[in-house]
Amino acid sequence: MSPTLIGAVAAILTAAVIYTIAVFSERSSGVLKPWHLALFWLGLVFDTTGTTLMSDIAGGFRLNIHGILGVSAIVLMLGHALWATIAITFKQEGVLRKFHTFSVHVWGLWMISLVSGMVLAMSQIVGK
């Protein structure tokens, strides 16, 4: 396995752990807190890093279900982190208390993208 692939897999799995902790601890606490926000941004950084490395390995963006889901997930994660930043910065209490409902949906799409990438990679290995 190449060092780039190892780095990409490590970054994406790190993103999965960080983002999952952030989303479900936010949901459990019932209110968006600054440390959740920090984890949202950190998860986005790791996911973007891993996705960029994977894209380099694949020779660029692929217009398939995984590519579309992946881009959608990153855009949603960015919007999610930006909205959370605004809600915390301006102390929007109503948003802070209901934000977890949106977070879980973004996490769900992100997980579908993650799993679709794993299935695609495994199907290519098996097909060789």
Side-chain angles (χ1 to χ4, degrees):
M1 199 172 343
S2 77
T4 304
L5 181 57
I6 292 169
V9 170
I12 289 174
L13 292 178
T14 301
V17 170
I18 290 169
Y19 210 63
T20 299
I21 290 169
V23 168
F24 287 98
S25 61
E26 176 209 356
R27 181 182 168 113
S28 175
S29 74
V31 64
L32 176 64
K33 297 177 182 176
W35 73 270
H36 299 132
L37 174 62
L39 291 181
F40 292 154
W41 282 108
L42 192 59
L44 178 61
V45 167
F46 275 99
D47 185 48
T48 302
T49 300
T51 299
T52 301
L53 291 171
M54 288 287 190
S55 181
D56 289 347
I57 292 167
F61 174 77
R62 304 275 187 210
L63 187 58
N64 57 25
I65 189 70
H66 175 64
I68 293 166
L69 284 170
V71 168
S72 299
I74 287 178
V75 168
L76 274 173
M77 286 173 76
L78 176 60
H80 179 247
L82 288 170
W83 187 21
T85 300
I86 291 167
I88 286 177
T89 300
F90 294 103
K91 297 174 178 49
Q92 299 174 329
E93 290 300 321
V95 174
L96 296 175
R97 298 213 176 279
K98 297 288 184 184
F99 198 78
H100 66 274
T101 58
F102 179 59
S103 296
V104 170
H105 288 87
V106 174
W107 176 87
L109 176 67
W110 188 81
M111 289 305 288
I112 291 168
S113 172
L114 175 68
V115 170
S116 75
M118 286 191 253
V119 169
L120 182 63
M122 286 187 276
S123 69
Q124 290 174 348
I125 291 170
V126 171
K128 286 186 177 182

